[in-house]
Amino acid sequence: MVESSIQQTLVLVKPDGIYRGLIGNVITRFENAGLKIVGMRMRWIDKDFSKRHYSEHLEKTFYYTLEEYITAGPVLAMVLEGVEAVEVVRKIVGSTEPKSAMPGTIRGDFAHINLAHADKTKKAVCNIIHASANSKDAANEIMLWFDPMDLHTYKRAGEEWIR
Ligand code: ATP
Ligand code: MG
């Protein structure tokens, strides 16, 4: 059997993206690329939930600034679907450090700070958006954030021209 190349991935518009009014701009980029939104919710997470979402970073020196950042306001969570969506979405998002993120990416267009500045000022790297790093993380994160009932199967108009 041929393995499907259609994947789902988790995206969060982080509190800085919400406070700065960037939701529409962020969503438009994914829709324009033909990625399908199959789930969406807004949620203000607490410290416990942050520890579950960012469990891989618990031992890092920046964890507490990260926790403060991600719990500082509501986030918009989305599940996006498309051909190799995990990698495609990371490409649209850009690299972790906004200074290094290419123009045209979400982080490159809407932020510019670097890691050294964040470390020096003991601030989080506010970089607008989270996206799952790989397909295993995507599956775990989608399970953490969404009830299967709230994920939907539907066909976009013109889908035959997209995938
Ligand atoms: P995300 O998981 O949010 O999509 P990422 O996968 O690009 O980001 P990670 O290494 O998983 O990067 O880091 C998680 C988040 O922690 C980053 O997006 C950033 O907000 C914050 N962060 C990463 N490194 C630092 C650092 N050195 N100092 C402060 N905050 C950091
Ligand atoms: Mg990550």
Side-chain angles (χ1 to χ4, degrees):
M1 203 177 81
V2 183
E3 204 179 308
S4 171
S5 50
I6 304 295
Q7 295 180 335
Q8 293 185 343
T9 189
L10 183 90
V11 163
L12 305 176
V13 181
K14 294 175 175 178
D16 52 331
I18 307 287
Y19 285 126
R20 291 177 55 193
L22 299 176
I23 290 174
N25 198 303
V26 165
I27 292 176
T28 296
R29 288 163 185 245
F30 295 126
E31 283 190 325
N32 285 350
L35 290 152
K36 194 191 292 187
I37 300 166
V38 298
M40 186 177 274
R41 68 180 295 197
M42 196 178 230
R43 181 168 178 178
W44 194 322
I45 66 167
D46 61 16
K47 292 179 174 178
D48 285 344
F49 197 89
S50 167
K51 289 184 177 74
R52 293 172 70 192
H53 175 73
Y54 278 129
S55 57
E56 64 176 308
H57 298 310
L58 280 177
E59 307 303 323
K60 309 260 172 75
T61 50
F62 64 80
Y63 177 74
Y64 284 97
T65 56
L66 173 58
E67 184 179 89
E68 213 175 308
Y69 166 40
I70 202 69
T71 60
V75 303
L76 180 74
M78 279 177 278
V79 177
L80 299 178
E81 185 186 281
V83 178
E84 297 194 20
V86 175
E87 206 181 318
V88 168
V89 166
R90 291 282 287 195
K91 183 190 70 174
I92 294 170
V93 164
S95 31
T96 305
E97 181 186 53
K99 184 192 167 197
S100 313
M102 294 298 283
T105 65
I106 292 168
R107 287 167 172 171
D109 284 353
F110 293 114
H112 73 276
I113 67 162
N114 65 0
L115 293 177
H117 175 79
D119 284 347
K120 237 186 291 176
T121 56
K122 298 198 168 35
K123 277 185 165 175
V125 174
C126 290
N127 55 6
I128 319 290
I129 190 161
H130 160 83
S132 306
N134 53 59
S135 53
K136 188 166 159 278
D137 285 3
N140 290 333
E141 290 172 4
I142 291 168
M143 243 192 321
L144 177 65
W145 283 84
F146 284 87
D147 190 318
M149 255 180 58
D150 295 323
L151 298 176
H152 303 285
T153 304
Y154 66 97
K155 202 165 156 59
R156 258 179 72 154
E159 191 164 298
E160 66 275 25
W161 297 104
I162 293 172
R163 70 189 214 191

